[in-house]
Amino acid sequence: MIEVLGWVVLLLPLVAAIVLALPSGEPSRPFSRALGVAPIAAAFAATVAIFISLLGRDEDDRLVTSTLWEWIAIGDLSVDLALQIDALSVLMSLVITGVGALIFIYSTEYMEHDRDYRRFFAEMNFFVFSMLLLVLAANFVFLIVGWALVGLASYLLIGYYYDKPTAVAAARKAFVINVIGDVGLVLAAFILVRELGTLDFAGVFGGADGLSRGDAELVGLLLFVGAAAKSAQVPLHTWLADAMEGPTPVSALIHAATMVTAGVYLIVRSHAIFEVAPSAADVVAITGAVTLLFAATVATVQVDIKRVLAWSTVRQIGYMIMAAGLGANVAAMFHILTHAYFNALLILAAGIVIHAHAGEQSIDRMGGLVRHLHLAWFATLVGVLAIIGVPGFSGFFSKDEIL
């Protein structure tokens, strides 16, 4: 049952993206809205069912691998189209589909008057499918496929307003920097094939102790190149603030719950390699620490409300990367969960404020909004208290765990 539900979770957003992308004459907004939101909500419900099923199993029995077909067989190397369902992939899927569903619902009204309503939901569903493929893949080949598709989907979404030069430039920058990370990931996969003869997670991580110290360190550093590009770590951080050129729901989806946390997921998933590559793990931790301090400093001099939140995102990802580099994997994943909700809350509340100001994004021209935007004010207050770690709010518990 879990195996079937895993494929349902993965394929629902893909089917929705394909149907929405097909030409169909005059677009129907109610149809686009229903087909855009329903699959992601159903995927979340299926993920919850998987989560409950795993809870009912013994701890040693909470890893399920489902193979659809053998894709490549060359000598001793075999690559299957397979999903790995375990605690880590289910947590990421819950965040992607859960926060994603809320963002999709918000989008139905936020993008109501957009001329390309149908294209927006097609690209959003394609992005969610790509992220789910990335976190559910059972081997490095399909993880890399999902990794690349996430880069493509982010390019389409950041440059959604293709007639706006700054949006096109931001999309191009994000795509180029992410390709740098893709190269690191592919090179790491080549070394793993040469040394271990497999790309399946079970074989790679089970045989990580067999890697020489030099190979382990090199693989760890190459994996981190991919993680740093996707998660906007210094010096590959410059794309993320510019990515705010996309619509606000896109910013919430990319910056809060999905794309920027992919690098953290990769490091945590590959913890067996970093355990035998301590120098690479140190580089990860130090880079995360430098990034969080740098991003927090830059954020203090921003006046664009979305850029403030973008640099805040870089800082929070720095926390996660630092924790993962130190081996505090549970703390890193806990902060992914809390950050997804409070950061998405802040970005979506900012979208309400921007709409109310007819597109104005400068915080220097805002003030006294509580009298007019009660819901946005309350949502922002809750999000801010969580992100700065006030006791009783989610950010306090996850940040304290890391520290």
Side-chain angles (χ1 to χ4, degrees), residues 190-198 210-212 215:
F190 280 138
I191 296 172
L192 290 172
V193 168
R194 185 191 68 186
E195 298 300 320
L196 301 177
T198 181
L211 290 170
S212 68
D215 286 333

Side-chain angles (χ1 to χ4, degrees), residues 293-332:
L293 290 169
F294 170 74
T297 305
V298 174
T300 60
V301 296
Q302 300 297 309
V303 294
D304 185 310
I305 188 170
K306 288 179 71 175
R307 282 184 172 266
V308 172
L309 294 173
W311 285 107
S312 174
T313 297
V314 177
R315 177 178 179 237
Q316 302 306 318
I317 302 299
Y319 265 111
M320 301 171 203
I321 291 288
M322 180 180 69
L326 293 171
N329 297 321
V330 172

Side-chain angles (χ1 to χ4, degrees), residues 6-18 39-40 43 81 83 93 96-97 104 121-137 142-143 145-150 152-153 157 253 258:
W7 290 105
V8 167
V9 169
L10 177 64
L11 294 177
L12 276 173
L14 176 61
V15 172
I18 292 172
I40 187 71
L81 177 54
L83 303 185
S93 298
I96 293 165
T97 57
F104 275 51
F121 281 109
E123 292 178 0
M124 290 280 276
N125 271 283
F126 176 62
F127 182 91
V128 171
F129 159 73
S130 303
M131 272 301 305
L132 288 170
L133 178 61
L134 190 161
V135 302
L136 289 171
F142 284 100
L143 182 146
V145 171
W147 197 270
L149 290 178
V150 166
L152 172 61
L157 287 169
L253 190 65
T258 54

Side-chain angles (χ1 to χ4, degrees), residues 44-123:
F44 174 64
T47 307
V48 171
I50 293 173
F51 174 70
I52 294 172
S53 297
L54 288 181
L55 283 181
R57 298 186 174 204
D58 295 333
E59 188 171 350
D60 296 334
D61 196 30
R62 290 179 183 171
L63 191 154
V64 177
T65 302
S66 176
T67 301
L68 196 60
W69 76 73
E70 184 180 64
W71 189 54
I72 294 175
I74 304 175
D76 295 332
L77 176 64
S78 175
V79 177
D80 299 332
L81 177 54
L83 303 185
Q84 179 167 309
I85 301 171
D86 58 10
L88 183 57
S89 61
V90 170
L91 173 61
M92 288 298 296
S93 298
L94 283 170
V95 171
I96 293 165
T97 57
V99 179
L102 297 175
I103 294 170
F104 275 51
I105 293 169
Y106 174 97
S107 302
T108 59
E109 293 299 323
Y110 188 89
M111 303 295 291
E112 175 64 30
H113 301 292
D114 189 84
R115 66 187 182 189
D116 291 324
Y117 196 68
R118 187 181 181 115
R119 175 170 68 89
F120 173 80
F121 281 109
E123 292 178 0

Side-chain angles (χ1 to χ4, degrees), residues 334-391:
F334 185 20
H335 198 48
I336 281 182
L337 179 63
T338 61
H339 169 263
Y341 284 93
F342 62 63
N343 200 55
L345 177 66
L346 286 169
I347 294 173
L348 297 181
I352 296 174
V353 174
I354 292 168
H355 257 207
H357 279 74
E360 177 60 60
Q361 295 185 195
S362 174
I363 57 176
D364 288 345
R365 304 189 66 180
M366 299 175 186
L369 300 179
V370 63
R371 297 192 298 271
H372 308 287
L373 302 174
H374 308 298
L375 178 60
W377 173 84
F378 179 73
T380 302
L381 176 63
V382 171
V384 166
L385 293 176
I387 202 170
I388 64 177
V390 171

